[in-house]
Amino acid sequence: MRIPEIQMNTTLSAIRSDFPILSTTVYGKPLVYFDNAATTQKPSAVIDAITGYYSETNSNVHRGVHHLSQQATLAYENARKKIADFVNAASDAEIIFTRGTTESINLVAWSFGEAFVKEGDEILISALEHHSNIVPWQQLCLRKKAVLRVIPVYDNGELDQEAYMKLLNDCTRIVAVNHISNSLGTINPIKGMIRQAHERGIPVLIDGAQGISHGPVDVQELNCDFYTFSAHKMYGPMGIGGLYGKKDWLKQMPPYQCGGEMIEKVTFEETTFNELPYKFEAGTPNVAGAIGFGTAVDYLGNLGWDFIRTRESDLLNYATEKLSQIEGVRIIGTSAQKASILSFLIGNIHFFDAGTIIDQYGIAVRTGNHCTQPLMDRLCLLGTIRASFAFYNTREEIDLLAEAVLKVKELFA
Ligand code: C6P
């Protein structure tokens, strides 16, 4: 659906005013925030929800009969329900609160690995993965004497699907791939990849750190076994995120961490564990974070995916066209299906030098390997400049980026 320009502009200025940081300045210039793949900015609704919790409801959850504890428990569980609805999980018990994507992947790599991976087994990841979806599996392979296999990537950033099919075999215990590449923006055809793995009885973990903020995620429709995400990339707070896991798997997996909350009965001889999802939530959780996270998904729900996707694809197309017109600019990652993440290089200018100059114009871009060193090695690069756009960004801001890129060229001419 195409939103008429005039309606979008009115809505856009209202939306931008929801984000206090967007009206601040950097070096005396209006902030242009293009580092949304690293973390998104937070609307007042989320900030207020966190302040409100600490001002009015702060108490530990699942522990007290007193009024505040019950209120905090209700708010915490209500947030879980919101996240479950957001990804269309079959049950709230399939949503485990974690510190974010990294912890969610570590949880599965450790716990699933403990239960199901043995010597000689294979774990299949892709060449597009963030370190968070490489290292936990690599360490599991070391512990269990299993083998890490990698789906190759083409130069344009698309995964080689034929190679993927050939890599799936009787030894493959799990496939772990990202939904959207944080470095190149590639949207992977995960639905088909999950189907192919399932045809051979292999479960699939989707690293949804980037995927979940760019379009609707329906875990039942995808039929993935695990889906991981971070609230801070979804306009929510830092230090909280989630793991969706199918109940059948979660029930069979041992606890990842032990302590309060995750137990049913403890004696010095033995311990029995709590039901899902609490079996995987040891210790006092990040209650304020969960409540802020719930508010963030409410915010996204109110905006609607039509609006978000229309804005983001317009920004990606506009930026790609604008930067491509500058001589010497090379776009890295040109897959047919792409999210609003644009990696590029300016001639032979080092990305850190370019990023430092771009920063002087109040423009925040990320520079470096984006925690995907093996992908950079594959592309024979040390890193890139990455501009990642959110629905609150504007074409005018992209014009400013293009001007800054021209200045970089001028300075290094
Ligand atoms: N990528 C980026 O600038 P955490 O740090 O746990 O919230 O997310 C880790 C992670 C895992 N997978 C993907 C695909 C990611 O993009 C990220 C985080 C940020 O690209 C910070 S390195």
Side-chain angles (χ1 to χ4, degrees):
M1 190 185 92
R2 178 113 188 100
I3 298 164
E5 199 69 25
I6 182 80
Q7 183 200 333
M8 197 179 311
N9 283 339
T10 328
T11 319
L12 192 58
S13 62
I15 286 168
R16 283 182 67 85
S17 65
D18 287 342
F19 294 80
I21 210 167
L22 295 182
S23 51
T24 60
T25 54
V26 173
Y27 312 125
K29 301 182 175 71
L31 166 71
V32 173
Y33 188 75
F34 284 158
D35 198 14
N36 294 287
T39 196
T40 50
Q41 297 302 346
K42 323 302 173 200
S44 301
V46 168
I47 300 166
D48 293 348
I50 295 167
T51 313
Y53 167 74
Y54 280 125
S55 322
E56 291 157 28
T57 321
N58 179 50
S59 186
N60 213 324
V61 290
H62 304 135
R63 281 160 172 81
V65 289
H66 64 81
H67 175 77
L68 276 188
S69 176
Q70 294 205 11
Q71 291 301 108
T73 304
L74 269 177
Y76 179 68
E77 290 305 329
N78 189 33
R80 192 192 308 277
K81 182 168 175 20
K82 287 180 187 181
I83 316 302
D85 289 346
F86 191 71
V87 297
N88 195 31
S91 148
D92 299 358
E94 293 182 318
I95 299 296
I96 294 154
F97 281 122
T98 64
R99 284 191 298 125
T101 305
T102 302
E103 190 174 52
S104 299
I105 297 172
N106 273 277
L107 188 162
V108 178
W110 191 88
S111 175
F112 178 92
E114 203 57 21
F116 297 106
V117 178
K118 56 180 190 331
E119 186 169 349
D121 284 348
E122 295 182 8
I123 310 289
L124 186 53
I125 61 170
S126 91
L128 277 177
E129 301 312 314
H130 185 280
H131 299 159
S132 290
N133 201 28
I134 301 174
V135 186
W137 302 111
Q138 200 176 50
Q139 296 304 305
L140 168 66
C141 288
L142 279 174
R143 283 197 303 276
K144 297 281 182 170
K145 297 196 174 72
V147 183
L148 192 67
R149 298 259 184 244
V150 183
I151 309 162
V153 65
Y154 291 115
D155 289 346
N156 70 353
E158 288 175 8
L159 290 178
D160 180 341
Q161 294 297 325
E162 263 182 49
Y164 170 57
M165 292 212 278
K166 285 187 193 141
L167 280 160
L168 293 168
N169 67 62
D170 290 347
C171 295
T172 315
R173 279 301 140 261
I174 191 166
V175 174
V177 289
N178 64 42
H179 190 167
I180 292 178
S181 155
N182 65 315
S183 288
L184 307 182
T186 311
I187 304 176
N188 286 312
I190 53 169
K191 196 168 176 194
M193 293 177 78
I194 293 165
R195 189 173 16 83
Q196 277 149 6
H198 283 178
E199 276 167 14
R200 292 161 185 81
I202 303 163
V204 180
L205 175 141
I206 301 296
D207 169 355
Q210 299 296 339
I212 199 164
S213 56
H214 294 289
V217 168
D218 182 330
V219 289
Q220 292 190 73
E221 199 208 330
L222 283 173
N223 201 15
C224 55
D225 300 275
F226 303 99
Y227 194 100
T228 62
F229 42 92
S230 302
H232 73 95
K233 294 186 198 290
M234 302 165 68
Y235 310 90
M238 291 199 173
I240 184 94
L243 166 68
Y244 159 79
K246 277 186 185 162
K247 240 187 202 166
D248 283 354
W249 286 117
L250 294 176
K251 275 186 184 160
Q252 297 178 70
M253 287 159 48
Y256 172 53
Q257 292 182 333
C258 299
E261 186 84 356
M262 50 75 72
I263 53 90
E264 182 191 52
K265 186 168 178 352
V266 181
T267 67
F268 284 119
E269 286 70 41
E270 66 161 1
T271 297
T272 53
F273 302 123
N274 205 341
E275 61 190 12
L276 289 173
Y278 312 111
K279 180 173 99 174
F280 290 105
E281 290 182 1
T284 298
N286 180 354
V287 182
I291 291 167
F293 190 8
T295 308
V297 302
D298 282 346
Y299 186 88
L300 288 174
N302 285 341
L303 273 186
W305 289 120
D306 276 352
F307 177 78
I308 294 170
R309 291 204 289 196
T310 308
R311 292 279 324 139
E312 290 184 351
S313 77
D314 180 66
L315 293 166
L316 177 70
N317 294 338
Y318 186 71
T320 306
E321 200 183 308
K322 195 92 195 173
L323 292 188
S324 303
Q325 283 164 2
I326 301 175
E327 210 188 313
V329 167
R330 184 155 60 105
I331 307 287
I332 313 293
T334 53
S335 62
Q337 301 298 321
K338 215 174 144 172
S340 53
I341 293 174
L342 190 62
S343 262
F344 62 97
L345 288 168
I346 313 167
N348 291 326
I349 301 166
H350 196 282
F351 44 86
F352 283 149
D353 293 333
T356 309
I357 293 161
I358 292 170
D359 174 58
Q360 296 305 305
Y361 292 88
I363 302 171
V365 289
R366 188 171 170 189
T367 48
N369 62 47
H370 316 300
C371 299
T372 55
Q373 279 182 33
L375 173 64
M376 293 299 139
D377 289 347
R378 157 66 186 83
L379 299 173
C380 302
L381 297 172
L382 289 173
T384 71
I385 307 158
R386 185 189 71 184
S388 48
F389 311 111
F391 54 78
Y392 45 57
N393 290 127
T394 66
R395 284 185 174 210
E396 290 71 27
E397 290 179 315
I398 291 168
D399 292 341
L400 292 174
L401 174 63
E403 279 172 33
V405 168
L406 285 171
K407 290 278 180 208
V408 172
K409 275 189 65 178
E410 230 174 85
L411 272 168
F412 282 87

